[in-house]
Amino acid sequence: DSCIVPLYRGTVAVQCNSSSSGLSFDDTREKMATNFLGMKKSSSSGGLHAMEGDGFEYSLGPPESGFSMFLADRTKKVHFIRHAEGYHNVATKETGSNECLVPKPGEKAADLDLYDARLTAKGIAQAEALRAHLATRPSGSRSFTAFDLVVVSPLTRTCETALHVFGEPRSPGKPAFLDQVDAPVNSPEYAAGVKISPPRFLVREECRERWGHYCCDGRRPIREIAKEFPNFDFSEVIHDEDVFYSDERESDEHCCDRAVKFLEWLNSRPEKCIAVVTHSSFLRHLFGQFGESLHNDDRDHLQRLAGNCELRSIVLCSHGNKDGKQIDPLMPPPAAPSTIRMSS
């Protein structure tokens, strides 16, 4: 089933078209409520889950009408995809606990096998199943779903998921007309000899998992990851080493704040159909800030935990009052001021 509902948080409207979902085991890492609407506002599974329907011209109407309408040029379709099954998901399932993800005293998170965890064989199969679904999912005038841009968290499991779902990306800096490939096999476009351009894969730190405490949510140096994914565009990642990961879990407030800043960045992009390959806790902190005025069923539908390789599509609408705003790069939270005093 699906729903299209208006949701508001600050100055961004989100419309969601969503299907039901199961949970995967690393969803138990966070014990707080999914809904973050009561918090202080910030300053700014194995199955295949897919979205149907592409209409998205909506805007807010009279409350009694039951409808919304937005100018189409202020909207864009964003398809959020949670990474496929990783080895950390399997480990928490087998042990029945998240303790296997927490470094023991004296251990360094980066030395553990589950640090920046990779996909399992099952996870790769999930990603390939989603790719097959998108190849037959009508969108616009095509018999398949194509994307203008794929935005990827820098963690290894999201990079792997993106590669298996979308195939090789267009090389950074290469114009679309110089990188043409066949349309999906067995599609009418393929039979007609239609060529398409693969989307660019742009890596952004803002959509990475909530960091800290669990070793799976740290990332390797970019110099290592970039060698493994040579056509991904890492040019907007500022730090080679993971300056965000620490023994302490990123606060709910900070994760909520960067999630909304990520929406602001998405809104600034010229592309109209964007895929984002990200993580379950990040999505909970994002969607948990929307839906205050919704019917309970619709709000729960949006805010439920995402399963492995679940595709959840929303319509992002700008209200216009933050258009053109400078988007500052993500930086680590400031450290507490030093209490050490040096003699003069």
Side-chain angles (χ1 to χ4, degrees), residues 98-136:
N98 300 316
E99 289 304 307
C100 60
L101 304 176
V102 181
K104 294 180 175 61
E107 289 183 331
K108 293 183 179 180
D111 293 336
L112 303 182
D113 290 340
L114 294 176
Y115 185 80
D116 196 4
R118 292 180 175 273
L119 297 187
T120 64
K122 179 180 177 180
I124 293 172
Q126 290 172 338
E128 292 174 346
L130 178 55
R131 181 176 185 174
H133 175 80
L134 292 172
T136 60

Side-chain angles (χ1 to χ4, degrees), residues 2 25 27 89 127 248 263 265 282 292:
S2 63
F25 288 92
D27 293 324
N89 300 134
E248 298 298 321
L263 289 186
W265 177 82
F282 175 81
E292 191 168 19

Side-chain angles (χ1 to χ4, degrees), residues 25 49 87 109 133 213 241 306:
F25 288 92
H49 308 273
Y87 281 101
H133 175 80
H213 192 58
E241 301 289 343

Side-chain angles (χ1 to χ4, degrees), residues 12 20 30 34 46 72 81 118 166 221 258 292-293 304 307-308 340:
V12 181
S20 60
E30 316 294 345
T34 299
I81 300 171
R118 292 180 175 273
F166 301 104
R258 71 174 167 95
E292 191 168 19
S293 61
R304 72 183 190 281
N308 283 127
I340 299 175

Side-chain angles (χ1 to χ4, degrees), residues 77-95:
K77 197 76 172 282
V78 184
H79 303 262
F80 287 96
I81 300 171
R82 184 197 172 190
H83 65 81
E85 182 191 76
Y87 281 101
H88 62 303
N89 300 134
V90 175
T92 56
K93 177 182 179 180
E94 290 179 344
T95 63

Side-chain angles (χ1 to χ4, degrees), residues 3-315:
C3 64
I4 302 178
V5 290
L7 310 162
Y8 297 92
R9 189 276 191 201
T11 59
V12 181
V14 178
Q15 308 259 339
C16 173
N17 211 358
S18 186
S19 62
S20 60
S21 167
L23 306 183
S24 63
F25 288 92
D26 69 338
D27 293 324
T28 61
R29 284 181 284 153
E30 316 294 345
K31 298 298 185 183
M32 81 291 289
T34 299
N35 192 310
F36 295 98
L37 289 166
M39 294 176 56
K40 172 184 174 293
K41 299 300 183 185
S42 62
S43 59
S44 49
S45 91
L48 177 64
H49 308 273
M51 307 305 317
E52 301 296 339
D54 277 314
F56 59 95
E57 292 80 9
Y58 302 96
S59 97
L60 186 63
E64 68 276 8
S65 73
F67 295 95
S68 298
M69 291 186 186
F70 297 121
L71 294 173
D73 62 0
R74 288 199 179 278
T75 64
K76 60 185 65 190
K77 197 76 172 282
V78 184
H79 303 262
F80 287 96
I81 300 171
R82 184 197 172 190
H83 65 81
E85 182 191 76
Y87 281 101
H88 62 303
N89 300 134
V90 175
T92 56
K93 177 182 179 180
E94 290 179 344
T95 63
S97 161
N98 300 316
E99 289 304 307
C100 60
L101 304 176
V102 181
K104 294 180 175 61
E107 289 183 331
K108 293 183 179 180
D111 293 336
L112 303 182
D113 290 340
L114 294 176
Y115 185 80
D116 196 4
R118 292 180 175 273
L119 297 187
T120 64
K122 179 180 177 180
I124 293 172
Q126 290 172 338
E128 292 174 346
L130 178 55
R131 181 176 185 174
H133 175 80
L134 292 172
T136 60
R137 177 185 182 272
S139 178
S141 60
R142 291 171 166 170
S143 66
F144 58 91
T145 302
F147 298 89
D148 303 322
L149 178 69
V150 176
V151 184
V152 189
S153 154
L155 273 64
T156 299
R157 60 186 178 272
T158 41
C159 292
E160 289 181 313
T161 299
L163 192 61
H164 287 288
V165 171
F166 301 104
E168 284 291 339
R170 175 156 45 99
S171 299
K174 193 172 186 178
F177 59 81
L178 291 181
D179 194 353
Q180 298 285 299
V181 298
D182 291 333
V185 177
N186 299 325
S187 68
E189 291 85 355
Y190 179 84
V194 172
K195 300 289 186 179
I196 60 173
S197 177
R200 291 174 55 220
F201 287 10
L202 185 57
V203 180
R204 294 289 298 193
E205 200 93 66
E206 288 87 346
C207 64
R208 65 179 288 175
E209 183 60 299
R210 186 184 181 197
W211 58 66
H213 192 58
Y214 299 114
C215 65
C216 57
D217 297 331
R219 69 156 171 81
R220 294 180 294 153
I222 294 299
R223 63 181 180 274
E224 295 181 12
I225 300 174
K227 289 180 181 178
E228 189 172 343
F229 305 96
N231 287 332
F232 286 43
D233 187 348
F234 291 89
S235 63
E236 297 187 12
V237 179
I238 297 175
H239 307 281
D240 180 27
E241 301 289 343
D242 190 352
V243 299
F244 299 97
Y245 184 87
S246 71
D247 292 339
E248 298 298 321
R249 198 69 168 151
E250 180 187 14
S251 70
D252 290 321
E253 291 82 359
H254 190 273
C255 193
C256 286
D257 187 57
R258 71 174 167 95
V260 172
K261 289 179 179 177
F262 180 67
L263 289 186
E264 294 176 1
W265 177 82
L266 284 176
N267 179 60
S268 72
R269 297 293 310 180
E271 297 87 0
K272 284 293 188 179
C273 187
I274 301 174
V276 178
V277 186
T278 182
H279 308 262
S280 62
S281 187
F282 175 81
L283 289 174
R284 288 198 301 132
H285 284 76
L286 171 59
F287 290 131
Q289 299 179 76
F290 293 85
E292 191 168 19
S293 61
L294 293 183
H295 184 278
N296 288 342
D297 290 345
D298 288 341
R299 182 173 62 248
D300 293 344
H301 210 51
L302 173 74
Q303 295 177 348
R304 72 183 190 281
L305 296 175
N308 283 127
C309 216
E310 178 182 343
L311 168 66
R312 188 174 303 178
S313 299
I314 62 102
V315 174

